Amino acid sequence: MSLMTQILYGTGVLAVCALIHVGAVIVSLPAFPRFASALAPRGMMIKAGGILLFGIIVIVIAHTIQIWIWAGSFLLVDAFGDFPTSFYFSTVTYTTLGYGDVVLQPEVRVFATFAAIAGLLTFGISTAFLISLLVRTLPTLSDEAQKH
């Protein structure tokens, strides 16, 4: 694969991953107030823990889907001959661990860098999302604690 093809394919898959991640966050947002209302009678600690746990579940699902997309993409560009290796490499690259025990041919190395960029970008979005949940939940918890 030429350098320009790697850049174009990598950019395309990265864009799809970013859309999936942002979409997962946006689609889940309306569920949080309903979830918080359902947990409110159970106490503030359970409410906060439940909201954070729900947010983590949303994020984990979004990241998992993206890793599967990268694994499939590596198979489509013939970077690997089998799915387990492709999935392993996708996970290690997406999380930016980069063990180096599986190495790509030069024809797809630039393409693979976009998996790491996608991981960095979406982990940043995930962090901001969880922090926003904390910021929105903590004042509510503080108000509830003062009432008791």
Side-chain angles (χ1 to χ4, degrees), residues 20-142:
I20 287 170
H21 204 78
V22 170
V25 169
I26 290 171
V27 167
S28 73
L29 287 177
F32 282 94
R34 290 190 302 262
F35 196 66
S37 294
L39 292 175
R42 302 198 191 304
M44 64 180 172
M45 296 302 284
I46 291 176
K47 178 181 174 182
I51 289 170
L52 286 174
L53 181 61
F54 183 58
I56 290 168
I57 289 168
V58 169
I59 291 168
V60 167
I61 290 169
H63 285 296
T64 302
I65 291 168
Q66 293 167 78
I67 289 170
W68 278 82
I69 288 171
W70 280 107
S73 298
F74 288 129
L75 285 175
L76 285 174
V77 298
D78 291 324
F80 302 105
D82 63 285
F83 185 76
T85 304
S86 183
F87 188 83
Y88 169 77
F89 183 83
S90 174
T91 304
V92 169
T93 303
Y94 181 84
T95 59
T96 68
L97 291 174
Y99 290 131
D101 54 343
V102 177
V103 181
L104 293 174
Q105 298 298 316
E107 300 83 36
V108 289
R109 285 184 186 156
V110 171
F111 174 70
T113 63
F114 285 89
I117 295 167
L120 285 170
L121 174 67
T122 56
F123 279 112
I125 293 168
S126 295
T127 302
F129 177 60
L130 287 176
I131 294 298
S132 73
L133 286 177
L134 277 173
V135 167
R136 294 189 72 175
T137 304
L138 290 178
T140 305
L141 292 176
S142 177

